[in-house]
Amino acid sequence: MVIAYEVGNGLYVNITNRCTNSCSFCVRSVADGTYGELWLEREPTVDEIVDSVVRADPTRYSEMVFCGYGEPTVRFYDVIEASIRIKQSYPDVKIRINTNGHANLIYGKDVTPLMRGVIDTVSISLNTANARDYVKVCAPEFGLEAYEGLLDFASKAKEHVPAVLFSVVRESIPDEDIEICRGIAERCGVVLKVRDMIK
Ligand code: SF4
């Protein structure tokens, strides 16, 4: 079972296959087995997550990233517990969560204060410039509410986490929508990162 794995200078951590979206471009739907080794036969415990990170020696990496095959914040409390334990042993290790920004919708309350002093960066996939397109592309469990929910999550996370980003994929969105996303990011007080598609 692959829990911690290297991507460039980062140590990526895979804790679930589950997600509250079904994005059309999701690597989980790549049928050729390219990412098959990341499919978890069961979800690792917090002890297993911490052990896997310790074995990989997080000090060798520029940051560790909860990313994974699925959406890490479906296990938000486990992410926080594992991160607290890792920071206790390695206070200089930077921790990022790559997320769809649904955590507050999943838990029905504002969980962002739990990230204070624990999580250094939150990168939220914005994907589209409006709620209707988001539903078309990401098919969220929360329907139209998902988009506003992730914007609100970003604004609240900004109060507790040093770096909060929105990300969009250049090839998957019209240029004019990228400018709209830039405006949305500004209003939420976060940075927009335009990245290239993972091939
Ligand atoms: S949010 Fe991420 S994990 Fe979830 S379906 Fe979309 S791409 Fe896949």
Side-chain angles (χ1 to χ4, degrees), residues 30-51:
V30 174
D32 64 4
T34 309
Y35 302 97
E37 75 279 3
L38 291 180
W39 187 264
L40 297 166
E41 65 267 21
R42 64 174 174 82
E43 293 189 342
T45 64
V46 171
D47 281 347
E48 287 173 324
I49 295 166
V50 173
D51 286 352

Side-chain angles (χ1 to χ4, degrees), residues 34-173:
T34 309
Y35 302 97
E37 75 279 3
L38 291 180
W39 187 264
L40 297 166
E41 65 267 21
R42 64 174 174 82
E43 293 189 342
T45 64
V46 171
D47 281 347
E48 287 173 324
I49 295 166
V50 173
D51 286 352
S52 179
V53 169
V54 169
R55 271 201 311 277
D57 184 2
T59 61
R60 297 195 299 125
Y61 298 92
S62 58
E63 63 180 343
M64 54 165 286
V65 185
F66 286 95
C67 177
Y69 219 35
E71 165 53 43
T73 69
V74 299
R75 299 185 62 193
F76 186 80
Y77 291 95
D78 290 343
V79 168
I80 297 299
E81 186 186 335
S83 299
I84 288 171
R85 287 170 54 180
I86 290 159
K87 284 267 187 183
Q88 276 165 355
S89 301
Y90 306 98
D92 294 333
V93 165
K94 301 285 182 216
I95 303 181
R96 165 158 59 111
I97 304 176
N98 284 358
T99 176
N100 62 15
H102 294 184
N104 286 353
L105 293 169
I106 294 168
Y107 292 95
K109 61 182 178 183
D110 180 17
V111 294
T112 60
L114 296 177
M115 296 192 284
R116 180 176 284 273
V118 184
I119 304 300
D120 300 282
T121 305
V122 177
S123 178
I124 303 164
S125 301
L126 184 62
N127 293 325
T128 66
N130 61 66
R132 261 181 303 109
D133 287 349
Y134 188 83
V135 167
K136 269 192 227 150
V137 172
C138 300
E141 277 179 30
F142 301 104
L144 281 170
E145 203 190 326
Y147 194 75
E148 198 51 49
L150 77 84
L151 301 187
D152 187 58
F153 176 80
S155 302
K156 290 191 162 82
K158 191 70 192 66
E159 302 297 313
H160 309 289
V161 175
V164 180
L165 323 170
F166 279 144
S167 74
V168 295
V169 176
R170 194 185 313 280
E171 296 88 340
S172 69
I173 182 169

Side-chain angles (χ1 to χ4, degrees), residues 19 21-23 25-26 28 69-70 100:
C19 186
N21 276 348
S22 289
C23 302
F25 53 82
C26 182
R28 297 183 308 161
Y69 219 35
N100 62 15

